[in-house]
Amino acid sequence: PPRVSERVAHRQSIRLGRTMKLPCPVEGDPPPLIMWTKDGRNIHSGWTRFRVLQHALRIKEVETEDAGTYICKATNGFGSVNINYTLIVIGELHLLYP
């Protein structure tokens, strides 16, 4: 089955408006198919600021509502492996405390 090829930090924080890359370091033979979900919903090409790359998920110009649980699921004919992330978005102080 696919396996995680390096250690990952499961809690990730990013400042509002920055670009974020969540790594998905998996390998397998045959190479696994990668799928990403956020809070249980599949991320697809309609999510304009989100781009699924070969071994990562890129989020452009992070917004507050991008915070949540992300899962990278890698599957091949022998099984699958999940990498879970909690993404924390750090806003400007005056946005947090109006």
Side-chain angles (χ1 to χ4, degrees):
R3 60 186 186 85
V4 180
S5 56
E6 58 191 65
R7 280 182 61 89
V8 292
H10 294 283
R11 284 174 69 86
Q12 300 267 347
S13 48
I14 180 76
R15 211 165 261 297
L16 206 58
R18 295 276 175 85
T19 293
M20 179 78 203
K21 228 180 185 180
L22 292 174
C24 186
V26 291
E27 52 190 35
D29 188 13
L33 188 69
I34 306 294
M35 272 187 52
W36 283 90
T37 59
K38 176 189 186 282
D39 299 330
R41 294 171 55 213
N42 282 346
I43 296 174
H44 55 79
S45 56
W47 296 37
T48 50
R49 293 177 300 102
F50 292 73
R51 179 66 45 83
V52 178
L53 308 171
Q54 190 69 46
H55 290 288
L57 175 72
R58 191 175 73 214
I59 310 169
K60 275 183 12 194
E61 293 155 16
V62 167
E63 296 176 5
T64 317
E65 56 267 27
D66 295 338
T69 302
Y70 290 81
I71 299 173
C72 161
K73 181 174 186 163
T75 310
N76 68 12
F78 298 102
S80 67
V81 64
N82 285 3
I83 302 177
N84 294 35
Y85 288 104
T86 301
L87 183 63
I88 299 150
V89 177
I90 304 164
E92 306 303 322
L93 282 177
H94 62 268
L95 293 178
L96 294 176
Y97 305 101

